[in-house]
Amino acid sequence: MRTGRFAGILAVLMFCASLMCSVPVVFGAEISLSYANFPPAKTFPCIQMERWKNEVEKRTGGKVQVQTYPGSTLLGAKNTLRGVMQGQADIGCVSLAYHPGVFPLCSVFELPLGFTSSASASLALWDLYTKYQPKEFRKFKVLTMFTSAPSNIMTKVPVRKLGDLKGLEVRASGILSKILESLGATPVSMPMSATPEALQKGVVKGLFSSFEVLKDLNFAEICRYETETNTAVYPFAIIMNMRSWKALPDDVKKVLDDLGREQAEWTGKYMDEHVNRSLAWAKEKYAIEMIKMSDADMKAIKENTLPLIEDWKKKAADKGIDGAKVLSDVEASRVKYEK
Ligand code: DTR
């Protein structure tokens, strides 16, 4: 840490210069990294960001300082990919489902593959990325990946049977919007960050996501009916600007690489535990109603969504991806981690 007037001016100039380029600022803590996240600070993508920050600062002995920017204060949901590519942030959180067609391989995790937890899906997603090193991420360093917990339907009006979904405007994104469509609903695709306003204004009558948002975004107040589908998850990637990555010393690179799988596992476990806490909180505070559809309806949901898997395989083949092999690898991981 430099002292004195000249050093102070130099530090300010360096900091300003760092905003125009992607090379981490060697300033104060030696290395300072900016980390952009789109949803509010109390949501799980930001909770895991703060844990990663603390671990990196601890494991580098303070050599690296991570400046976190939750709630779209640096980059929003739709401009994180470009923003990290251009160096507006060193690191960013991307929900793959917000970018249809951009992630032909890892979007497999948006399909109804039968994962029952974020813990198993997150590890399976990281294993898939590690094995295939998909070219869809070739412009970035991927620091970790994880998923939401399985998705369910949270609504202002009760959805007790499949027919209740007909024409109902429900928020989702990516392939999960197509799942809703296959069930007769009217999907309205948008990032999670846009969902509170859409619910308030009545643009949507509910949302299709994991239950922890009932607490983290207080959706339990407006969506008192929770229909359990426990289907597809939403995959996420934490990406880093490649110039920022290459500028890091080897010892810091090792700390970040060692955190890859560990952070996926930590986030998955946190997510599953937090879903349970959030449901208990929502039942206590808002007396939400948990709804299970009939076995026949659940069977119909499975049958109606199967064609989406074939659609994904066709799109994957168009990109030179052996979809059947990817699905087989993901299923093997699901069996392994869901034991
Ligand atoms: N609904 C998905 C994933 C997701 C689940 N919980 C949160 C919290 C904050 C942001 C996203 C999510 C999505 O919109 O990406």
Side-chain angles (χ1 to χ4, degrees):
M1 173 69 79
R2 292 183 181 81
T3 55
R5 185 173 169 72
F6 170 72
I9 292 168
L10 180 62
V12 170
L13 289 174
M14 283 182 70
F15 182 72
C16 293
S18 75
L19 294 179
M20 265 71 86
C21 67
S22 61
V23 177
V25 171
V26 181
F27 155 76
E30 246 188 84
I31 297 172
S32 180
L33 296 175
S34 55
Y35 188 154
N37 221 319
F38 63 92
K42 63 175 86 170
T43 62
F44 90 101
C46 293
I47 298 297
Q48 72 76 33
M49 169 173 71
E50 295 302 327
R51 187 262 174 180
W52 187 88
K53 162 192 164 69
N54 294 337
E55 288 303 313
V56 167
E57 292 177 350
K58 183 169 64 178
R59 298 183 192 190
T60 60
K63 185 175 180 180
V64 175
Q65 184 261 345
V66 181
Q67 181 61 54
T68 55
Y69 295 89
S72 298
T73 47
L74 181 54
L75 292 173
K78 290 281 194 178
N79 60 9
T80 297
L81 268 179
R82 180 183 299 277
V84 171
M85 175 116 66
Q86 292 175 348
Q88 290 162 21
D90 295 305
I91 301 166
C93 174
V94 176
S95 176
L96 309 193
Y98 299 173
H99 306 280
V102 174
F103 302 101
L105 194 146
C106 289
S107 58
V108 68
F109 270 84
E110 296 170 44
L111 291 169
L113 299 178
F115 283 97
T116 61
S117 70
S118 173
S120 56
S122 296
L123 285 171
L125 173 58
W126 183 246
D127 287 357
L128 185 77
Y129 169 75
T130 305
K131 175 174 181 175
Y132 283 85
Q133 296 289 313
K135 63 181 180 185
E136 60 213 42
F137 285 108
R138 67 188 178 284
K139 294 179 181 174
F140 300 99
K141 168 66 178 177
V142 177
L143 295 174
T144 191
M145 297 181 87
F146 48 79
T147 75
S148 70
S151 296
N152 297 278
I153 299 168
M154 296 163 265
T155 45
K156 300 175 182 176
V157 295
V159 172
R160 302 190 190 283
K161 58 187 186 303
L162 213 42
D164 293 340
L165 272 177
K166 189 157 180 52
L168 195 68
E169 300 89 350
V170 182
R171 175 269 169 196
S173 46
I175 297 178
L176 285 97
S177 293
K178 294 180 179 175
I179 292 176
L180 283 176
E181 196 170 19
S182 73
L183 303 180
T186 301
V188 183
S189 296
M190 67 183 76
M192 182 61 85
S193 25
T195 305
E197 185 180 357
L199 281 167
Q200 288 297 340
K201 289 185 173 176
V203 170
V204 294
K205 304 294 185 301
L207 70 149
F208 188 40
S209 184
S210 38
F211 275 141
E212 93 294 340
V213 293
L214 289 170
K215 181 174 190 294
D216 291 352
L217 293 168
N218 199 39
F219 286 159
E221 182 176 31
I222 195 166
C223 295
R224 301 287 174 98
Y225 302 97
E226 328 307 346
T227 304
E228 296 180 54
T229 50
N230 283 317
T231 181
V233 299
Y234 286 87
F236 289 76
I238 304 302
I239 58 173
M240 184 169 187
N241 175 278
M242 194 58 94
R243 282 183 64 209
S244 298
W245 168 254
K246 287 178 178 172
L248 295 174
D250 289 346
D251 61 327
V252 172
K253 283 179 179 165
K254 185 176 186 314
V255 167
L256 272 51
D257 273 337
D258 289 349
L259 268 169
R261 191 175 196 280
E262 180 191 320
Q263 188 71 8
E265 186 169 29
W266 185 91
T267 306
K269 285 179 180 171
Y270 168 82
M271 187 62 175
D272 293 331
E273 290 162 4
H274 194 54
V275 162
N276 293 332
R277 285 193 296 268
S278 301
L279 283 170
W281 174 87
K283 286 169 186 170
E284 172 68 25
K285 187 170 175 68
Y286 293 112
I288 56 168
E289 180 181 346
M290 302 303 292
I291 300 168
K292 289 186 189 298
M293 287 193 276
S294 66
D295 291 347
D297 274 351
M298 294 306 286
K299 184 169 179 286
I301 287 173
K302 202 171 176 60
E303 287 164 358
N304 290 7
T305 56
L306 275 176
L308 293 173
I309 296 175
E310 290 311 311
D311 289 348
W312 178 86
K313 280 165 66 175
K314 287 193 188 86
K315 288 188 172 68
D318 293 345
K319 299 282 185 178
I321 296 166
D322 180 350
K325 178 74 176 83
V326 169
L327 285 161
S328 168
D329 286 346
V330 172
E331 174 58 10
S333 293
R334 188 191 67 77
V335 170
K336 172 183 168 185
Y337 293 123
E338 298 236 334
K339 266 189 190 137

